[in-house]
């Protein structure tokens, strides 16, 4: 019988029959003991010019040729990447991309700074990855879209890149984490792989990682979109982590292998997460989808903190009673803290999506950074981050 492994409360590896577990049930809810909580210890602000808005759609922490840590982020209005020195928040430069001509990037939606002269940019309208230099000059293009395949969007991943769903480098391969936005894709789940990998030596594109059958099989309908997002990370040992919104477990694989194992990494407070009561092909009203999303707990980003040797996993908590006026960003964000063996250390509510733009999160030696928005701390002249650290109870 097929087995999956889960991490027990005391850190022992326990085995369970995957096929007999109630789907979506949080078997350790109310049984986990908290020893740490997340505390906001400071604020970091980066001054913006008049052409730059806060809440950028993408950002990356990287280093320059001298090893100086940089904060970079995307300004979609100028189709440009801005560079700041992280330590003292000094603005350094920007790289702007043309929108027309042979050197064009129509609309950048994400990027990976490998080195000052090797920057890989996702050109969203063309669904291609473009290699540029420090002057914004194009060196080559890798096209992901097959215009001749009318079913392409149902058989290939779509990309909603952000700081917590970033382009990543593994060896000489650039990884693009994607997802299936349509629920009917799960009817052919065994043929859909959600991570694209570009071999930088040959520009060949391969696809890896299947949605787990235990989560998305048996005709279940998860509504697509945000409920089928996949949030990636790497362990210090190089294993790839996949955080699925509907699972109390985390899933682990090699970056180029479909085989996965799982470990419990859930919240002490999250309830059972259930699919829609209809088949994937059935039409669902927008109001029903909204309630489905708002009234359940959903997991999100997973971030590793190498400085404190912990992981942070985000949970968007259920709103018990909603109306047509309830906004998507009304859900409370809770941050689960785990050690590097994925043992539970605690969890803390840090604010709603109206107060924190959690898609803009990253870790430095100072702590976990989450962008502030919609609070008295926010100032349109600055890109502002709250800095959080785990503390003993």
């Amino acid at each position: 019988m097929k087995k999956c492994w889960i991490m027990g409360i005391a850190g022992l590896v326990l085995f369970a029959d995957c096929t007999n577990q109630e789907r979506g049930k949080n078997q350790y809810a109310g049984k986990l003991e908290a020893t740490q909580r997340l505390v906001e210890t400071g604020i970091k602000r980066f001054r913006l010019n008049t052409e730059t808005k806060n809440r950028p759609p993408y950002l990356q922490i990287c280093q320059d040729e001298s090893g100086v840590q940089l904060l970079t982020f995307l300004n979609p209005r100028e189709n440009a990447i801005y560079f700041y020195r992280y330590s003292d928040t000094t603005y350094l430069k920007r790289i702007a991309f043309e929108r027309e001509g042979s050197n064009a990037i129509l609309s950048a939606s994400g990027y990976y700074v490998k080195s000052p002269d090797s920057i890989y940019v996702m050109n969203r309208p063309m669904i291609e990855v473009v290699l540029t230099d420090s002057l914004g000059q194009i060196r080559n293009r890798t096209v992901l879209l097959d215009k001749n395949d009318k079913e392409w969007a149902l058989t290939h991943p779509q990309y909603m890149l952000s700081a917590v769903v970033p382009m990543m480098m593994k060896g000489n391969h650039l990884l693009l984490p994607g997802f299936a936005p349509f629920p009917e894709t799960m009817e052919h789940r065994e043929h859909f792989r959600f991570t694209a990998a570009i071999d930088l030596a040959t520009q060949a594109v391969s696809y890896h990682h299947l949605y787990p059958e235990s989560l998305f099989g048996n005709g279940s309908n998860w509504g697509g979109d945000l409920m089928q997002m996949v949030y990636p990370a790497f362990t210090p040992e190089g294993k790839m982590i996949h955080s699925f919104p509907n699972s109390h477990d985390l899933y682990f694989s090699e970056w180029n292998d479909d085989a996965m194992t799982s470990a419990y990494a859930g919240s002490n407070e999250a309830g059972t997460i259930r699919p829609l009561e209809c088949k994937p092909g059935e039409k669902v009203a927008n109001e029903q989808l909204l309630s489905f999303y708002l009234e359940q707990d959903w997991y999100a980003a997973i971030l590793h903190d190498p400085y404190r040797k912990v992981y942070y996993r985000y949970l968007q908590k259920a709103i018990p009673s909603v109306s047509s006026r309830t906004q998507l960003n009304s859900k409370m964000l809770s941050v689960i803290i785990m050690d590097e063996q994925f043992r539970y250390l605690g969890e803390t509510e840090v604010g709603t999506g109206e107060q924190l733009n959690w898609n803009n999160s990253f870790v430095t030696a100072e702590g976990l950074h989450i962008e502030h928005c919609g609070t008295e701390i926010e100032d349109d002249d600055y890109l502002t981050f709250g800095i959080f650290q785990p503390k003993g109870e």
Side-chain angles (χ1 to χ4, degrees), residues 54-55 353-356 371-379:
N54 48 20
R55 309 181 204 185
E354 297 172 311
Q355 300 164 330
L356 295 171
E371 184 186 5
H372 271 290
C373 58
T375 68
E376 65 277 3
I377 297 174
E378 183 190 19
D379 185 330

Side-chain angles (χ1 to χ4, degrees), residues 2 189-195 206-213 242 244 251-261:
K2 185 178 179 181
R189 176 206 59 80
E190 67 275 14
H191 302 299
F192 184 95
R193 289 168 173 82
F194 55 76
T195 305
S206 58
Y207 295 91
H208 310 282
H209 307 132
L210 299 167
Y211 282 93
E213 182 179 5
H242 313 278
F244 296 97
Y251 285 73
F252 305 87
S253 72
E254 302 296 336
W255 71 267
N256 57 351
D257 193 342
D258 294 338
M260 292 187 183
T261 57

Side-chain angles (χ1 to χ4, degrees), residues 3 14 32 53 90-91 145 278 290 317 361:
K3 304 286 184 179
L14 304 179
L32 302 170
K53 300 292 185 182
T90 299
Y91 167 76
L145 172 64
C278 60
L290 181 64
K317 302 186 77 170
S361 298

Side-chain angles (χ1 to χ4, degrees), residues 18-46:
C18 297
T19 58
N20 290 333
Q21 290 179 15
E22 181 183 339
R23 179 179 299 194
K25 182 178 180 180
N26 186 0
Q27 57 189 321
Y28 293 121
K31 302 175 183 177
L32 302 170
E33 182 178 350
T35 59
Q36 295 188 18
R37 58 193 173 90
L38 204 62
V39 176
E40 187 165 4
T41 59
I43 295 291
K44 195 91 170 182
R45 287 182 166 180
F46 299 82

Side-chain angles (χ1 to χ4, degrees), residues 237-276:
E237 298 77 28
K239 285 279 189 180
M240 198 165 184
I241 309 172
H242 313 278
S243 176
F244 296 97
N246 62 341
S247 179
H248 306 287
D249 293 356
L250 290 171
Y251 285 73
F252 305 87
S253 72
E254 302 296 336
W255 71 267
N256 57 351
D257 193 342
D258 294 338
M260 292 187 183
T261 57
S262 62
Y264 180 80
S267 161
N268 196 40
E269 301 174 3
T272 299
I273 306 174
R274 298 180 174 86
L276 288 161

